Amino acid sequence: NDQAADPPKLFVMEVGRDPAKGPAFRLPPTQIPVPADAAADFPVSLVIDKKDEIAFLMTKMGYLYMFDIVSGKTMYRAKITQDVVFCTTTQDATGAMFGITVRKGQVFRIQLNGQALVPYIVSTLRDNDLAIKVAGRLNLPGAENLYAAEFERLITARDVANAAKLVASSGTALRTPATIARFQQIPAEPGSP
């Protein structure tokens, strides 16, 4: 069976974009990390939280997956119900996903916990790059030490342009007098303003 040999993948692509505005956003397919006890499982629902750019995927066996649709990376996976999920929808104002189970008719609500997301990505997923990008894009706490370390790495490498971009995307984490002082300590390059 070819399907068993081929793991399921998440495809992220923009459709319906006006070609005059440039190419459509598209990521290479990303493997979905299916647990060993759910090898026969399959998706039954996919809803997008447009507010936080997150995809919630529900499977027949009750697994919830959360994907960052900007990178395609899996941010979370857990079995949240023993029952099959009948239908799902999003609440645009909050980014929450609501679902109803088949047998018991239970209604559930899933929503991003912004305060816990970045620490979870750092400690559980061990993906500092994703943590920095998500924290910057969603203005979430928890990446302050990562921002500081990446800033120092960029400054040490004399990559001032990317260090400045990092500061701009860090929310308030790096917008401090210490950061300004660090920029002022950089020796002037010959021929630069």
Side-chain angles (χ1 to χ4, degrees), residues 69-137:
I69 61 174
V70 174
S71 67
K73 292 184 176 183
T74 305
M75 293 195 301
Y76 184 74
R77 177 191 75 199
K79 186 163 183 132
I80 63 165
T81 181
Q82 298 297 322
D83 294 330
V84 175
V85 176
F86 170 62
C87 68
T88 58
T89 189
T90 58
Q91 181 181 37
D92 290 339
T94 64
M97 176 184 78
F98 290 87
I100 302 172
T101 63
V102 172
R103 290 189 188 122
K104 299 176 187 167
Q106 292 177 316
V107 176
F108 62 86
R109 177 178 188 257
I110 303 293
Q111 185 173 355
L112 177 69
N113 179 350
Q115 299 298 310
L117 181 61
V118 173
Y120 177 83
I121 292 171
V122 170
S123 65
T124 304
L125 302 181
R126 301 198 184 288
D127 189 338
N128 291 352
D129 182 57
L130 179 62
I132 286 173
K133 288 176 180 171
V134 168
R137 192 177 77 237

Side-chain angles (χ1 to χ4, degrees), residues 22-33:
F25 178 77
R26 181 184 204 113
L27 292 174
T30 308
Q31 186 172 328
I32 298 173

Side-chain angles (χ1 to χ4, degrees), residues 1-64:
N1 183 349
D2 287 343
Q3 191 175 17
D6 227 11
K9 293 187 169 102
L10 175 72
F11 290 79
V12 177
M13 64 189 81
E14 182 180 20
V15 292
R17 182 179 177 90
D18 179 358
K21 294 182 179 176
F25 178 77
R26 181 184 204 113
L27 292 174
T30 308
Q31 186 172 328
I32 298 173
V34 177
D37 70 331
D41 201 8
F42 57 90
V44 293
S45 168
L46 179 69
V47 296
I48 306 299
D49 167 5
K50 293 176 189 171
K51 180 175 138 305
D52 294 325
E53 299 176 320
I54 291 174
F56 294 102
L57 182 138
M58 285 298 309
T59 70
K60 182 178 188 287
M61 294 176 70
Y63 279 92
L64 166 72

